[in-house]
Amino acid sequence: MMKEIMSLKEILEWYLETGVDETCGSVAFEADCSLKEQKQISSVMQRQATTNLAQATGSAYQNAKEICAEAKTLDELRAKVEAFEGCSLKMTAANTVFGDGNPHAKIVLVGEAPGADEDRIGVPFVGRSGQLLDKMLAAIGLDRNSCYITNILPWRPPGNRTPLDSEIAVCLPFLKKQIDIIDPDFIFMLGGSAANALLNTAETISKLRGHWFEYEKSNGTNAMVLASFHPAYLLRTPGQKSKAWNDLLRLSSKLKEQKN
Ligand code: URA
């Protein structure tokens, strides 16, 4: 009897048509396919997974933008972010960590993502990094009553892993909307991830820090942006604290200039 043989392409097309978009083992393929064929299959599946991720990220991003367009106040935005289901980080997080501080502040500080303490308590920068940040702010006469503090991501990445680009892309509208509602004159970015996301650059934090940039808010006016090292990095690398201190002094003198 003639054995009917389907080509690899036909097998994969058939799987996709019947709704199979995930594999949980490779035993059958290993037994029946050559190494070259296995590589072809895995490459097709990887491309399919990448396409699926891009589609999911694109629709979650659209959904985040729609939510942001509807929110008029920080409280409305907070409620909408808490109800948002488009970022898988939320599934492993204990709390949504929205912004904290003065909603009418002239300065907004932006970190990367909540850590374990922030996830437990639901407030940004309350752990060791937050304690250092509070001291840094106090050194130039600022505190949480004079600033607003938030993160690019409102949910803790499991084990504090580095956020994925797709996670940052989906959540960025939430940060931008907070900035639009608060309408600050200054934005102080804490660390490379935050600076890269808001300034839309891949430049290292060592190159970005200490220089002023402009960020255009939705009302057409600009906020002045300064980036510096993340407090967690300063805890690990105290030798860099003097550069962070220079950045704080730069920020402080601009704030004073604006008041006069
Ligand atoms: N690190 C951050 O970037 N944000 C926090 O809220 C806490 C630690």
Side-chain angles (χ1 to χ4, degrees), residues 97-98 110-119 123-130 133 144 149-153 160 190-191 194 230-232:
V97 180
F98 199 69
V110 184
E112 180 177 299
D117 294 316
E118 291 76 17
D119 183 46
V123 176
F125 281 103
V126 289
R128 281 188 70 218
S129 300
L133 180 61
R144 287 178 194 234
I149 303 180
T150 190
N151 283 304
I152 335 175
L153 294 173
N160 295 347
L190 300 162
H230 192 287

Side-chain angles (χ1 to χ4, degrees), residues 6-72:
M6 288 168 91
S7 73
L8 282 175
K9 188 167 170 288
E10 285 168 333
I11 294 172
L12 286 171
E13 278 169 358
W14 181 77
Y15 276 155
L16 291 174
E17 273 165 27
T18 52
V20 176
D21 56 5
E22 203 178 343
T23 55
C24 52
S26 56
V27 177
F29 278 147
E30 275 165 17
D32 295 345
C33 300
S34 69
L35 193 60
K36 190 175 165 214
E37 287 169 326
Q38 285 175 40
K39 279 188 182 159
Q40 280 175 326
I41 291 169
S42 120
S43 143
V44 170
M45 283 184 164
Q46 269 171 21
R47 270 184 281 137
Q48 182 66 39
T50 308
T51 308
N52 289 348
L53 177 65
Q55 282 168 353
T57 303
S59 73
Y61 171 77
Q62 278 312 325
N63 188 215
K65 293 235 315 178
E66 281 158 24
I67 281 171
C68 288
E70 288 163 7
K72 300 285 171 266

Side-chain angles (χ1 to χ4, degrees), residues 74-256:
L74 283 181
D75 284 344
E76 278 174 23
L77 183 63
R78 176 196 290 266
K80 285 178 186 297
V81 173
E82 281 170 355
F84 183 69
E85 298 294 344
C87 179
S88 57
L89 290 178
K90 189 181 174 191
M91 293 197 296
T92 48
N95 275 300
T96 297
V97 180
F98 199 69
D100 181 42
N102 184 344
H104 307 291
K106 287 288 146 217
I107 169 157
V108 168
L109 288 99
V110 184
E112 180 177 299
D117 294 316
E118 291 76 17
D119 183 46
R120 189 167 41 81
I121 296 168
V123 176
F125 281 103
V126 289
R128 281 188 70 218
S129 300
Q131 286 156 21
L132 176 58
L133 180 61
D134 286 341
K135 285 186 197 151
M136 290 162 63
L137 291 175
I140 55 166
L142 297 175
D143 60 18
R144 287 178 194 234
N145 292 319
S146 46
C147 300
Y148 181 86
I149 303 180
T150 190
N151 283 304
I152 335 175
L153 294 173
W155 297 287
R156 180 192 184 207
N160 295 347
R161 67 156 167 75
T162 305
L164 304 176
D165 288 348
S166 56
E167 292 159 351
I168 293 178
V170 167
C171 295
L172 198 56
F174 301 142
L175 170 65
K176 292 185 164 187
K177 185 69 187 193
Q178 287 174 82
I179 294 173
D180 284 337
I181 293 173
I182 296 165
D183 192 18
D185 295 328
F186 299 97
I187 304 175
F188 194 57
M189 308 303 296
L190 300 162
S193 299
N196 290 159
L198 194 75
L199 297 173
N200 195 18
T201 170
E203 196 54 271
T204 62
I205 187 64
S206 300
K207 293 241 170 78
L208 292 173
R209 62 150 287 277
H211 302 282
W212 286 104
F213 297 90
E214 288 190 336
Y215 172 79
E216 188 177 350
K217 295 168 281 183
S218 67
N219 63 9
T221 64
N222 286 338
M224 297 190 68
V225 182
L226 190 63
S228 189
F229 293 124
H230 192 287
Y233 172 73
L234 296 175
L235 287 170
R236 292 193 303 271
T237 326
Q240 298 284 39
K241 279 186 181 169
S242 59
K243 288 184 185 153
W245 176 235
N246 283 335
D247 298 335
L248 286 170
L249 290 179
R250 252 184 212 111
L251 175 66
S252 171
S253 77
K254 275 273 186 246
L255 283 166
K256 282 184 190 141

